């Protein structure tokens, strides 16, 4: 017991001594449909002289699992039209829908004065303005309007009309800044899911005169925890379950039990059904105790993938979850350094991983900072790796973007890599004012990228073999760390100068 108490003391000590996380990244998540393709029976009218009638029926059964890998790149769900979580779907590969404005300009700016708040970490207080990493707004259609919702360094959740920037609902204050991206319920329940640095991950109702908190999960609700209590990741909502990683270094699954109360107002009755440390002894031995989960979990097939600040990429099998079977870890790969970018999964189930270079480990040099993994080969998953570490404290914070045969990966120095998805060959390099932490958004062959001088660019990626030519740019002012949201003629993005912009 003494040893246990000493260990606990050491853990508490460790959990307090945290460097100001000015360089932490963040993310968001989405929803799920089952895909059903039914080919109607083809009946050939029988000629009067014929003695046979041929009927051909081909029915592809619905996907029998959590997330059909073939939904990579597509909108998640049929119920709510919009971009509902960080990177729009469970494989973090949906960017929104066009059209993209041909000559975009600022339509509105929110709010009247800059959104700034102090936030303390490790005893140091820093004032944060605007929105940061990952900070991707959700944008969706509801009640005949286009809504946009985001958390900000105002410490609040804002819900606006995407056409005007006017508030649809009063702001919802939390106790600290919000870095991550919100998730909107994909099944049509008027619910918003968000983390805050105030230690809670919340479920908020959007069907009343103001935003109302229905439930919150504390970062200290589970044990053991390591490192911190922020929630940068965006949850995924699938089949009434919430999947979310925390900076407490644990992975959580919550059964939401969504419904409506007798007055017709949305309700939840959540139950934490599973949690597990995102670390193991081998990882702690290699990197120490900074193993927070800051990326947004991704799901393909029946496997939940995420990584942590210790560089551990892992997959957890959730096949039997609804039957009470505990998830088990089925995939483990160590990249050598902090992974805050979300894992991106293509339609073949391949993982694309962006890695920072902060610790300078030998493993970082052998594996690279952009890595393709094949989880069907758990003993030897690395397909290729690309180096992106010109100096210590570099590498990748942005979540990679897939466009057909190309992977676009912004790096910390402002150099953006266009990588052949199959071979790992770097086809082109583009230099923008860094750091570039904003994740690529690609809609209708237009790649939208924010840089740290405050310029939002549109590039033509119709030819993936060449350095994409610029189509337009919009000057916003303030470093663009956040990922833009795109929906049917609207672009919404925040900057570190204090504002969020509607562009059309
Ligand atoms: Ca963080
Ligand atoms: Ca880091
Ligand atoms: Ca980290």
């Amino acid at each position: 017991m003494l040893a246990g108490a000493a260990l606990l003391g050491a853990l508490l000590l460790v959990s307090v001594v945290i460097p100001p996380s000015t360089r932490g990244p963040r993310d968001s998540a989405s929803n799920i449909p089952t895909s059903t393709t039914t080919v109607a029976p083809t009946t050939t009218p029988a000629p009067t002289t014929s003695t046979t009638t041929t009927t051909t029926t081909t029915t592809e059964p619905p996907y029998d699992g959590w997330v059909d890998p073939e939904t990579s790149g597509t909108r998640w769900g049929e119920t709510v039209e919009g971009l509902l979580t960080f990177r729009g779907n469970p494989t973090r590969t949906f960017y929104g829908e066009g059209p993209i404005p041909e000559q975009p300009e600022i339509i509105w700016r929110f709010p009247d004065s800059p959104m700034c708040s102090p936030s303390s970490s490790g005893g140091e207080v820093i004032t944060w303005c605007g929105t940061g990493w990952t900070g991707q707004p959700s944008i969706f259609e509801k009640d005949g309007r286009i809504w946009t919702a985001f958390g900000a360094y105002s410490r609040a959740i804002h819900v606006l009309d995407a056409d005007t920037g006017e508030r649809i609902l009063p702001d919802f204050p939390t106790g600290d800044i919000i870095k991550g991206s919100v998730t909107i319920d994909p099944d049509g329940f008027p619910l918003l899911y968000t983390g805050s640095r105030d230690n809670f991950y919340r479920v908020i109702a959007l069907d009343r005169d103001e935003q109302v908190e229905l439930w919150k999960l504390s970062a200290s609700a589970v044990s053991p925890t390591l490192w911190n209590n922020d929630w940068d990741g965006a949850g995924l909502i699938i089949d009434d379950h919430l999947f979310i990683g925390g900076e407490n270094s644990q992975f959580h699954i919550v059964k939401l039990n969504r419904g409506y109360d007798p007055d017709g107002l949305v309700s939840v009755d959540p139950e934490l059904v599973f949690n597990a440390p995102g670390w193991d002894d081998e990882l702690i031995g290699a990197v120490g105790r900074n193993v927070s989960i800051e990326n947004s979990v991704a799901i393909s097939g029946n496997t939940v993938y995420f990584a942590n600040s210790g560089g551990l990429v892992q997959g957890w099998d959730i096949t039997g979850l609804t039957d009470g079977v505990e998830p088990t870890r089925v995939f483990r790969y160590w990249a050598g350094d902090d992974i805050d970018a979300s894992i991106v999964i293509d339609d073949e189930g391949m993982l694309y991983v962006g890695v920072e270079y902060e610790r300078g480990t030998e493993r970082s040099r052998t594996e690279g900072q952009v890595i393709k993994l094949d989880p069907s080969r758990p003993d030897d998953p690395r397909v290729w790796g690309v180096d992106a570490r010109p100096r210590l404290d570099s590498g990748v914070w942005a979540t990679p973007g897939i466009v057909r045969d190309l992977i676009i990966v912004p790096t910390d120095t402002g150099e953006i890599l266009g990588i052949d998805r199959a071979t790992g060959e770097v086809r082109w390099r583009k230099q923008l004012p860094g750091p570039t932490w904003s994740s690529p958004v690609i809609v209708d062959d237009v790649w939208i990228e924010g840089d740290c001088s405050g310029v939002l660019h549109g590039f033509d990626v119709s030819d993936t073999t060449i350095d994409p030519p610029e189509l337009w740019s919009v000057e916003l002012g303030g470093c663009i760390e956040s990922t833009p949201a795109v929906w049917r003629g609207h672009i919404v993005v925040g900057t570190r100068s204090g504002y969020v912009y509607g562009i059309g």
Side-chain angles (χ1 to χ4, degrees), residues 129-132 454 476-482 493-501:
C129 293
T131 70
L476 302 178
C479 183
I480 304 172
E481 290 177 9
S482 299
V493 66
T495 81
R496 293 300 307 277
S497 73
Y499 299 101
V500 169
Y501 298 85

Side-chain angles (χ1 to χ4, degrees), residues 303-373:
T303 309
V304 183
Y305 293 98
F306 58 91
N308 64 22
S309 293
L312 189 65
V313 179
Q314 52 205 286
W316 288 74
D317 183 359
I318 53 170
T319 303
L321 181 64
T322 53
D323 299 323
V325 179
E326 288 237 318
T328 53
R329 199 177 73 182
V330 291
F331 183 72
R332 183 193 195 280
Y333 169 85
W334 184 48
D337 212 331
D338 192 350
I339 300 173
D340 289 325
S342 292
I343 292 173
V344 166
I345 312 173
D346 72 15
D347 55 359
E348 298 175 322
M350 302 288 168
L351 316 182
Y352 301 88
V353 183
V355 191
E356 296 163 28
Y357 185 64
E358 297 181 326
R359 294 181 172 93
T361 64
E362 175 60 28
R363 181 76 174 172
S364 295
R365 290 186 281 278
T366 61
E367 303 304 287
Q369 283 63 54
V370 185
I371 304 169
K372 178 176 183 175
L373 300 175

Side-chain angles (χ1 to χ4, degrees), residues 165-189:
E166 299 291 325
R167 286 179 178 87
I168 293 177
L169 295 172
D171 303 337
F172 178 89
T174 70
D176 207 333
I177 60 171
I178 300 169
K179 285 184 171 182
S181 303
V182 303
T183 295
I184 298 298
D185 193 287
D187 302 314
F189 291 94

